[in-house]
Amino acid sequence: MRLRNKPWARDAIAQNPDLVIQQPATWKGNWHRCFGRQAPLYIEVGTGKGQFLTGMAKHHPEINFIGIERYESVLVTAMERAKEAELTNLKFLSEDVYDLLDFFADGEVSRLFINFTDPWPKKRHEKRRLTYKDFLAKYEIVLKEKGDIHFKTDNQGLFEYSLHSFSKYGMILHNVSLDLHNSDFEGNIMTEYEEKFAKKGMRIYRCEAQFRTNEESHNL
């Protein structure tokens, strides 16, 4: 993805510390205080321009949402969307998913979304894929028992790789769809990329992957 540089983005983000949280490590284990209420916490890694998460926050006011996006020139659009919608259950981190364990305590997150992430198709870049085993290990730590990942992509190769990665890690797969928009799945909120690809008639792949409990793993 080629990014358009927005030199003013950093200043705009800094002027909205209630929406784009500064020094997020200080809230580790206490995100309910940051939101001012107790509620399940859902996070999206690589939130992009925020269309998906803003839509989710609108449809699920009972959930607290956090979007993580390292590119400020992209995140500023997500921030403006959330401001316009006047959402109180959505916040953002201008951070890298590599540092996920610095921001969330063990078992603090109820669900994690990965949408239309870079497929990194070359074999030498496998470790950069957000469904690579090292990332799964981080997700497993921050997610609650039986926490799950909701994954969407337009890239068949990445989807096949991810299904294998989830399965090899010992996760349980649910609601696997090879053509989401022609399935009976309800309540889908589209991302910007998803809308673009769907208009071109491209297939959207989706699945849910759930971590096993220790007891379930021992019984395998």
Side-chain angles (χ1 to χ4, degrees), residues 179-196:
D179 192 357
L180 176 61
H181 292 184
N182 287 313
S183 71
D184 58 0
F185 182 80
E186 297 180 357
N188 182 52
I189 302 293
M190 287 199 286
T191 74
E192 298 88 353
Y193 280 121
E194 187 173 354
E195 280 190 346
K196 177 182 176 181

Side-chain angles (χ1 to χ4, degrees), residues 147-175:
D148 60 0
I149 296 170
H150 288 200
F151 175 64
K152 286 195 291 186
T153 182
D154 64 298
N155 189 289
Q156 183 179 350
L158 178 62
F159 191 67
E160 292 172 353
Y161 169 85
S162 300
L163 291 180
H164 177 72
S165 183
F166 294 146
S167 298
K168 190 174 181 181
Y169 199 87
M171 301 179 74
I172 304 168
L173 295 173
H174 300 287
N175 298 320

